[in-house]
């Protein structure tokens, strides 16, 4: 059923060697898309590409620090040449966090979080726009966070970058609809990845998360990737400008 297939489509997923990005590469590939990804660690990227090839997925990759403007430009040039100037899907997944009280952040930490989490996504959208438009059917998905909607104690700069991403979703959804590019956003609560494993290893911290989550567990990367893939399918062709939480019910749990 072509409505539930990404056959013949091309995708760029940033940060695909671990966590949510890794699961997203596999999910999009599984639906038939050709995928390009990036990360900063060349060894890990090569390893992933080998495993994906063995699994029969068509994945290519570039070493790229998405927080660096010149490297983003180079990445999009590579994407353009791998996919002959046409891109159907852009998943802005790269993101990081530094957790501390607001008054303790240095200028460098502020810049690092803004450039990695927000500026990179904004600029990659700008760079991808001609390719997305040329493909005829484009889809952008941002990996945001429930921290962009609520205070969850993960740090004010992280929350602000994700809040900015949520608003950018709405702006691009309207501005680029005429180019047949849909824009949506996925907002996860705690997902078992290398980004937060040091936190989830702490029993008390984990218990505090679980007791606020109706499903009484944290999420798996695959459970985020499935929504990302759905949003990119022809089946989701009328879904545009939405911010959807993947949170086990956390955001609707009230003052519990
Ligand atoms: P991980 O840290 O587990 O994985 C991040 C991936 O991105 C790795 O492949 C990493 O490779 C790559 N990456 C990180 N920084 C850069 C960079 N500057 N340039 C290129 N690649 C980079 O993170 P998650 O999978 O947990 O997070 C993915 C997204 O999901 C983030 O935006 C995060 O904010 C969001 N999120 C995560 C939640 C969670 O609980 N895990 C909850 C809510 C949102 P390398 O380090 O080698 O570059």
């Amino acid at each position: 059923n072509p409505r539930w297939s990404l056959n013949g489509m091309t995708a760029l997923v940033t940060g695909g060697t671990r966590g949510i990005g890794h699961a997203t590469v596999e999910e999009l590939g599984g639906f038939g898309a050709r995928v390009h990804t990036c990360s900063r660690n060349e060894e890990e990227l090569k390893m992933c590409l080998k495993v994906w090839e063995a699994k029969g997925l068509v994945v290519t990759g570039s070493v790229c620090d998405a927080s660096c403007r010149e490297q983003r430009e180079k990445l999009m040039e590579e994407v353009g040449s791998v996919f002959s100037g046409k891109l159907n899907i852009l998943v802005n997944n790269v993101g990081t966090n530094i957790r501390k009280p607001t008054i303790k952040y240095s200028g460098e930490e502020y810049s690092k979080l803004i450039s990695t989490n927000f500026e990179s996504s904004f600029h990659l959208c700008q760079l991808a726009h001609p390719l997305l438009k040329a493909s005829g059917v484009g889809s952008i998905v941002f990996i945001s966070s429930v921290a962009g909607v609520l205070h969850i104690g993960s740090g004010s700069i992280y929350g602000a970058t994700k809040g900015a991403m949520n608003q950018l979703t709405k702006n691009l959804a309207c501005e680029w609809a005429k180019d047949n590019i849909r824009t949506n956003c996925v907002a996860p609560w705690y997902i078992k990845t290398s980004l937060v494993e040091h936190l989830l290893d702490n029993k008390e911290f984990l218990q505090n998360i679980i007791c606020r989550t109706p499903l009484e567990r944290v999420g798996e990367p695959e459970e985020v990737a499935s929504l990302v893939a759905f949003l990119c399918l022809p089946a989701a062709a009328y879904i545009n400008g939405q911010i959807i939480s993947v949170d086990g019910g956390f955001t609707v749990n009230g003052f519990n």
Side-chain angles (χ1 to χ4, degrees):
N1 184 341
R3 292 178 62 241
W4 295 88
S5 169
L6 297 174
N7 257 332
M9 298 216 193
T10 58
L12 169 61
V13 178
T14 63
T17 54
R18 294 194 306 279
I20 294 169
H22 186 271
T24 300
V25 168
E26 298 203 339
E27 195 79 305
L28 296 178
F31 276 102
R34 283 179 291 152
V35 186
H36 193 85
T37 190
C38 71
S39 78
R40 293 166 299 181
N41 183 324
E42 182 167 18
E43 286 306 300
E44 200 173 21
L45 179 63
K46 276 188 183 157
M47 274 264 293
C48 287
L49 292 175
K50 236 190 225 166
V51 174
W52 286 325
E53 192 182 358
K55 286 185 177 177
L57 301 171
V58 185
V59 188
T60 49
S62 305
V63 176
C64 166
D65 182 343
S67 69
C68 166
R69 192 171 189 90
E70 289 73 34
Q71 294 191 36
R72 292 191 293 264
E73 285 165 353
K74 192 163 152 274
L75 171 68
M76 203 56 72
E77 273 170 32
E78 283 162 3
V79 168
S81 86
V82 173
F83 296 145
S84 315
K86 289 177 184 167
L87 183 69
N88 296 104
I89 296 163
L90 169 63
V91 181
N92 281 303
N93 166 71
V94 162
T96 191
N97 197 9
I98 301 164
R99 292 168 176 255
K100 46 172 70 173
T102 296
I103 58 169
K104 303 273 192 206
Y105 283 109
S106 68
E108 287 74 32
E109 289 170 330
Y110 173 84
S111 298
K112 183 178 183 209
L113 286 176
I114 298 285
S115 64
T116 306
N117 293 8
F118 183 67
E119 195 183 334
S120 67
S121 303
F122 177 81
H123 187 214
L124 284 170
C125 286
Q126 284 185 312
L127 294 169
H129 179 262
L131 288 84
L132 291 164
K133 191 176 170 180
S135 76
V137 200
S139 175
I140 298 171
V141 179
F142 291 103
I143 309 301
S144 175
S145 166
V146 294
V149 187
L150 300 166
H151 169 76
I152 61 165
S154 59
S156 56
I157 304 175
Y158 183 80
T161 62
K162 297 301 190 179
M165 194 176 237
N166 294 354
Q167 181 57 37
L168 182 60
T169 300
K170 301 178 195 179
N171 285 85
L172 297 187
C174 297
E175 197 180 329
W176 291 351
K178 66 171 179 1
D179 301 318
N180 205 24
I181 300 167
R182 295 181 296 110
T183 308
N184 291 290
C185 181
V186 170
W189 175 227
Y190 279 88
I191 307 296
K192 255 185 250 162
T193 72
S194 61
L195 181 68
V196 295
E197 67 187 348
H198 64 288
L199 299 168
L200 301 180
D201 279 349
N202 177 333
K203 277 212 165 64
E204 219 172 292
F205 185 93
L206 178 64
Q207 202 42 48
N208 183 266
I209 298 304
I210 285 174
C211 74
R212 287 190 279 164
T213 309
L215 283 177
E216 294 183 338
R217 63 175 179 87
V218 295
E220 300 291 337
E222 294 73 23
E223 294 174 316
V224 179
S226 49
L227 175 60
V228 176
F230 170 70
L231 290 169
C232 298
L233 284 167
Y238 203 53
I239 303 176
N240 189 26
Q242 302 305 303
I243 300 155
I244 306 175
S245 298
V246 180
D247 67 355
F250 165 71
T251 50
V252 295
N253 202 20
F255 299 97
N256 192 350

